[in-house]
Amino acid sequence: MRRLSWFNTVSLTLGFAFLYIPMIILVIYSFNAGKLVTVWTGFSTKWYGELFQNEAFLNAAWVTLKVAVISSTFATVLGTMAAYVMVRGGRFYGRTLFSGMIYAPLVMPEVITGLSLLLLFIAIGLDRGTLTIVLAHTTFSMCYVSVVVSSRLVTFDRSLEEAALDLGCTPFDAFKSVTLPIIAPAVISGWLLAFTLSLDDLVIASFTSGPSSTTLPIKIFSAVRLGVSPEINALSSIMIGIVAFGVITTSLMSKRAITRRQAEENKAVQ
């Protein structure tokens, strides 16, 4: 095993410190008893209680969660279909244009995407609200799902599908029974990526949201412009805790699955 050099150690330490020290400070000051977020006056959890009584934040959190679940589901379905066409469709007329349209949102500035969607909704007379945010988030997150699923389909062993077809399966049954279960980790990863992008989006949502459909990032940004309150620290700490719990849980599940797979392989060898 190679040991880390002093340069790598210092670089990693500074990098992790730059990333996580602000988060640690934020979590610490979320338990501050005073209203000033930079002056420690004592330990208290009252701001968490105040947060759960704040209807504006709760409504924004509900809208954000609802939009994220719906848009990521639609994006996963459409992105998987697009990836399947790109990988399995072969050469067809308009393939270059189709692939360019799929990957364009990856490099398109969010301001341009949000403004163009806003003009589209105005042109067709669609009032801005939860529906427009869902459509916008589905549009820009679908390409990320397509990239993730395409990378898995490229390395997929097509002989498994051919075996299913030889045994009497229809192409749809072969996809449902063979292909989809194998690429399921990539599909789930794409859904989680789209879900995370939707939760975190501010720019596109600010163009496509209406007065009754404020998302949590927009609410936090609006509140911060008037000054950082302890409630925002408490909300951010809860979000950090949820993300940390999800990452740790996923890592433990992956490690357990790898250990179980290795144990099964060793037992098969014996």
Side-chain angles (χ1 to χ4, degrees), residues 74 126 155 223:
F74 286 157
L126 185 60
T155 60

Side-chain angles (χ1 to χ4, degrees), residues 180-203:
L180 188 59
I182 294 177
I183 67 172
V187 174
I188 295 173
S189 299
W191 188 91
L192 292 174
L193 179 59
F195 182 80
T196 303
L197 291 171
S198 179
L199 285 180
D200 186 57
D201 177 66
L202 172 64
V203 178

Side-chain angles (χ1 to χ4, degrees), residues 256-270:
R256 184 175 301 177
I258 294 173
T259 303
R260 187 184 302 112
R261 189 182 305 113
Q262 291 177 349
E264 292 176 354
E265 292 176 355
N266 293 333
K267 186 182 295 184
V269 171
Q270 294 176 357

Side-chain angles (χ1 to χ4, degrees), residues 84 88 156 160-161 164-165 169-184:
Y84 193 84
R88 300 295 179 82
F156 182 81
L160 299 175
E161 284 184 348
L165 294 174
C169 287
T170 63
F172 178 76
D173 290 335
F175 175 81
K176 181 180 67 175
S177 302
V178 178
T179 307
L180 188 59
I182 294 177
I183 67 172

Side-chain angles (χ1 to χ4, degrees), residues 247-261:
V247 171
I248 293 173
T249 302
T250 303
S251 299
L252 292 176
M253 292 176 62
S254 300
K255 185 177 181 179
R256 184 175 301 177
I258 294 173
T259 303
R260 187 184 302 112
R261 189 182 305 113

